[in-house]
Amino acid sequence: MTKPTLILGIETSCDETAAAVVARDGEGRGEILSNVVLSQLKEHAPYGGVVPEIAARAHVEHLDRLVAQAMAESGTEYKNLSGIAATAGPGLLGGVIVGLTMAKAIAFAHGKPLVAVNHLEGHALTARLLQAVEFPYLLLLISGGHTQFQLVGGVGKYHRLGTTIDDALGEAFDKVAKLLGLGYPGGPQVEALARRGNASRFAFPRPLKGRKDCNFSFSGLKTAVRETVQDLGALSGQDVADVCASFEAAVAETMADRLKMAVHLFRAAHSAVEHPAFIVAGGVAANQKLKAVFEAAAAQHGLQLIVPPAKLCTDNAAMIAWAGAERLALGLTDPLDFAARARWPLDQVQAPVYGSGKLGAKA
Ligand code: KG4
Ligand code: ZN
């Protein structure tokens, strides 16, 4: 049996400062020993979005304490760790440097290997921390910064099926909220107001519907909302609710259509996999209307829908520690001079040698 892996993970790529300790046993089962997250929402709220400089300073201020807390809560000591994992990108460079530098210092001081984790790989592998999920599977990542379908063929083995050509989905929710004078982050408020709105009052566009790929575009939809809001002038409470409901309906119909295409592309690559897992991650996965769309699509297309619990869907360090553990179990580590990256597409991460063949095929 392979030795269990015990990993400290650090996440600082956006507006959450987070540290966690996660264990992975020889059979690949995961356990979260500690998972602490400090959200900077209050610091950024007055600006209606994340301010990179404020984020980096807040990470510097809080990270030491959070790492100490994660270690203490896990009941383990540095000498027992198998390695240190930190988000090395993509994200806001100042913040990424703070977390990665801290991880390098701990790794150096305690003579442990460093694993430089791609933040998106953290989201992509989270489901395997919670339950046994076989490769290959389909991932939909919908957050404030990302909107993409990935075909997950194995650790380090990703193929992007589609992405947004302009705004991310969470960003679209946030911008619509801002247009309506709602606070940041806007997603939860738009969802709450949509519940008492009329979804068919405004005929907003369904961007890229029917297109033979599975990309996304939300900027035209946002513009349509802006024009409607301008035409309405002074907004009543009912107007706001109706705009939210109509916007959410447009998003839901668009997601259903884009998902149909993604499943088609997945099936074309992996016709032998009967009931692949379909994992939805990122902050927008908390939206109940979209969840209903995913459930219906999963039933229709024979997918096993997995939506990790909200605190593992939004940014956290347990997912980074877990991705580190999965990589370490395959012998993948990184040098201490690994540089932080603002941009780092998931299909460009270092991959283990899987042998030849189709993506996701057994070696
Ligand atoms: O993954 P996440 O916590 O952070 C990053 O983007 O890194 O995602 C945050 C995004 C925000 O844009 C927020 O408005 C959106 O997720 N969001 C939602 C909901 N909850 C959070 N969007 C729609 N419906 C929700 N219930
Ligand atoms: Zn994220």
Side-chain angles (χ1 to χ4, degrees), residues 299-313:
Q300 190 189 345
H301 301 295
L303 313 173
Q304 183 203 352
L305 176 67
I306 302 174
V307 184
K311 76 177 203 297
L312 294 176
C313 252

Side-chain angles (χ1 to χ4, degrees), residues 143-145 170-171 173-174 185-188 191 282-284 286-287 314-315:
S143 71
E171 193 182 355
F173 270 93
D174 294 336
E191 175 173 26
V284 189
N287 185 288
T314 56
D315 288 351

